[in-house]
């Protein structure tokens, strides 16, 4: 069983996250028009080789990453465990943060009642961002998917 949701679209780029109940995650980012400027190793999560995506055309795909090894942070809470995957791909000379940067947070929450939820959020800048702060484009989040294991639904 798994959770899937197409969670954002920014006009050209779209993305999704699949949180599997075996504690792996698949993250897909489509329509990356400047993908040729990068190598797959530039897109590693936490700079770990095992957390490197593959490229196919203009699509970046992280396939079945183990959440424990590839999450940028995890938090065990009273009734669930949160895993966050911070994708930060900055072109050479991108300082301060530019609008062309690829910055995303994907997360999986595994709840003790056998429910899994997923979220995918692109982080973008607004105008000249000389403060170095990252802001969320509020128009991009489409929703959050959840799935209760054993129900047979996706």
């Amino acid at each position: 069983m798994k959770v899937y949701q197409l969670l954002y679209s920014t006009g050209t780029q779209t993305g999704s996250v699949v949180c599997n109940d075996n504690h792996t995650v698949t993250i897909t980012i489509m329509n990356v028009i400047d993908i040729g400027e990068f190598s797959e190793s530039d897109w590693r999560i936490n700079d770990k080789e095992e957390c490197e995506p593959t490229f196919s055309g203009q699509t970046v795909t992280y396939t079945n990453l183990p959440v424990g090894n590839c999450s940028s942070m995890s938090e065990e809470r009273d009734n669930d465990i949160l895993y966050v995957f911070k994708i930060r791909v900055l072109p050479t000379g991108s300082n301060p943060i530019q609008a062309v940067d690829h910055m995303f947070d994907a997360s999986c929450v595994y709840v003790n009642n056998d429910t899994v939820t997923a979220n995918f959020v692109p982080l973008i800048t607004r105008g000249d961002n000389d403060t170095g702060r990252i802001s969320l484009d509020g128009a991009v989040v489409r929703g959050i998917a959840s799935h209760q294991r054993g129900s047979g639904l996706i």
Side-chain angles (χ1 to χ4, degrees):
M1 304 308 148
K2 56 187 167 184
V3 139
Y4 173 84
Q5 177 89 30
L6 178 65
L7 288 166
Y8 89 97
S9 175
T10 60
T12 57
Q13 284 189 334
T14 55
S16 67
V17 60
V18 177
C19 301
N20 298 297
D21 64 358
N22 67 353
H23 291 252
T24 62
V25 63
T26 296
I27 302 166
T28 306
I29 305 164
M30 295 157 276
N31 301 317
V32 180
I33 59 173
D34 63 343
I35 199 167
E37 302 295 317
F38 303 98
S39 69
E40 292 165 331
S41 63
D42 292 329
W43 284 75
R44 287 179 180 166
I45 297 174
N46 305 324
D47 202 28
K48 292 182 177 179
E49 187 175 347
E50 69 211 79
C51 308
E52 182 174 295
T54 57
F55 292 171
S56 177
Q58 293 184 335
T59 300
V60 177
T61 305
Y62 300 86
T63 305
N64 294 323
L65 300 180
V67 297
N69 296 348
C70 292
S71 63
S72 303
M73 72 155 259
S74 63
E75 180 181 352
E76 189 168 344
R77 304 179 294 198
D78 288 343
N79 295 310
D80 59 31
I81 301 173
L82 166 70
Y83 296 97
V84 178
F85 307 87
K86 295 180 181 225
I87 300 167
R88 304 291 188 266
V89 184
L90 308 176
T92 303
S94 183
N95 190 8
I97 296 168
Q98 305 292 314
V100 296
D101 298 342
H102 301 287
M103 300 170 52
F104 310 94
D105 283 354
S107 65
C108 297
V109 178
Y110 293 89
V111 184
N112 291 344
N113 65 0
D114 289 334
T115 300
V116 181
T117 60
N119 194 9
F120 193 91
V121 179
L123 304 172
I124 65 171
T125 59
R126 294 184 191 266
D128 278 336
N129 193 348
D130 57 359
T131 64
R133 291 186 182 174
I134 300 168
S135 59
L136 171 65
D137 179 348
V140 296
V141 177
R142 300 281 186 218
I144 297 175
S146 66
H147 170 71
Q148 188 162 3
R149 285 186 264 173
S151 69
L153 299 174
I154 294 177

